[in-house]
Amino acid sequence: PPDGIIFRGTVEFKEGENIYDLLSRILREKGIPMEASYTPGLGSTYIEGINSLYELDCGEKSGWVYFVNGVMPNYGCDKYNLQKGDDIGWYYTCDMGHDISFW
């Protein structure tokens, strides 16, 4: 989209959902395509692309990252169990998350 925002909104999560579950459900409900893969060596799911924007499309350090309450966890999105009040954001980064700021 021209403003770069694919989806913005407040959503409720279901008991037992992790961040990957929530992302998958919301994108499916909104008709937004997503591609992900499971990485056995890490034991987690990796988001390859959302809305036809994929990792490495904008350089060797580009791809999708997620933040919870302004912090980028260092493990897969399917490993983060949601808690009431969590503020979650998915962002496309061109510098491994270092270009994302919360002002």
Side-chain angles (χ1 to χ4, degrees):
D3 62 4
I5 298 171
I6 295 171
F7 171 78
R8 176 181 285 157
T10 301
V11 297
E12 296 292 323
F13 68 91
K14 297 176 182 178
E15 187 173 340
E17 276 188 318
N18 58 46
I19 291 181
Y20 174 74
D21 297 332
L22 178 66
L23 177 68
S24 297
R25 180 173 56 85
I26 297 304
L27 293 180
R28 188 174 48 254
E29 289 173 1
K30 300 293 180 184
I32 300 170
M34 176 186 75
E35 191 169 334
S37 61
Y38 182 75
T39 306
L42 298 175
S44 66
T45 301
Y46 178 72
I47 305 303
E48 296 176 13
I50 299 174
N51 205 38
S52 299
L53 182 58
Y54 288 86
E55 62 174 329
L56 308 177
D57 277 354
C58 295
E60 65 184 31
K61 296 181 181 182
S62 65
W64 288 96
V65 294
Y66 75 100
F67 284 75
V68 179
N69 303 320
V71 177
M72 186 172 63
N74 62 352
Y75 46 88
C77 58
D78 58 341
K79 301 297 181 198
Y80 191 99
N81 292 318
L82 294 163
Q83 298 178 30
K84 186 176 182 178
D86 278 344
D87 181 23
I88 302 158
W90 280 94
Y91 302 90
Y92 190 82
T93 178
C94 293
D95 189 19
M96 298 184 80
H98 300 290
D99 53 341
I100 310 292
S101 63
F102 300 94
W103 298 100

